[in-house]
Amino acid sequence: MSASVPWKRTSPRYDEVQVGKAIRGRLWREAALLLHWARGHGMHIVPAHSPGISVGAGGSETLRYRVHPQGLAIARIWNIVIRLTDDGTNVIGRPRVTLPSGIGGTSSVFGTLNPANTAFGASFIAVENLPAKSTAVLTDLELQIDHVHGTTPFWIESVSALELPRAVLSADATDLGVDLESLFPGRPMYDAPYQSAGGIARGWAVTQPRRSLVQQWFSPVEITSGAWTDVFTLPHLVVPRKDRRNDTTQVLTWDCWAGAEASTKGEFRIVTGIDGNTDTLSVATGAAPGFLGTSTVEARCEDLSEPDGLPGGVDESVTLQGRVTAGAGAISVQSFNVWEAP
């Protein structure tokens, strides 16, 4: 069976579709290729961001993210930019990037930083080969970066991750690839799984684009105030997808990695920029750092009548805020995650 994924997005001529008239075989084939492109293209699950964390000699930092993957990927590509904190002439640092969820439990890549690449940092590519196709369930991603050689600290300058595009889909209930051989001009059209018009219809019925809007890991931010306090100086700009024709909002899922000092508890909330919608997650008294548990908030979605897609021509945004609700200590947060769940 041939269920190849095209290297670029196809553009079927939808104006050829008319009620009561037959549709050309070529158009059916283009629709199948577009389906394969949508299902095989993969998500950018961790958008590029700057953790801005320094790792000293012999130190280690584990970055954590939470998201619903697309569910079809067989590998992920991580891009990590690391820069030495000292631009002297006799400094060398050697980082190790470890992916705990890679094949065999771990997979590591080593690199060397030296004065020649200090100014702009060195980029390391780590391929996370998944032991099975990722599933569209809530997933915790971990990326461990160790300082394994040298005495000069280095900065974690940038991190991003994307799902490796697929070249071929399978004819199964997960991939829903369609046999392109069943779509040649002159062939009869029929309803069957993974073949002909029926296969295309089944595939599109469960295929939707989703966006990972904010995935950030950073140095811990402590909050001691009983009033709502912004975690970031500026809000994060987002453009959630439009689902149905008349939709003006989209439901966003969010979570954060947070904890509290002894005898102290608090709350973190997300606030949308246009409508000021809020949703709150609680931090238990003396809670050890961890994800608080996902929740949802409604935000304005993409406006297809606007050339830049901004809802009503205005930027939508999300802001993370925290406050202490009991005790004299601090609550802290180190990760902020916002995405579109299945």
Side-chain angles (χ1 to χ4, degrees), residues 269-280 297-300 315-319 321:
R269 73 175 182 180
I270 187 173
V271 184
T272 64
I274 295 179
D275 296 322
N277 296 331
T278 64
D279 185 71
T280 303
V297 68
E298 275 198 1
R300 293 295 184 94
D315 285 313
E316 177 61 294
S317 64
V318 290
T319 298
Q321 298 178 334

Side-chain angles (χ1 to χ4, degrees), residues 178-190:
V178 178
D179 184 359
L180 298 177
E181 304 295 325
S182 66
L183 295 165
F184 269 113
R187 294 282 183 91
M189 308 308 295
Y190 51 92

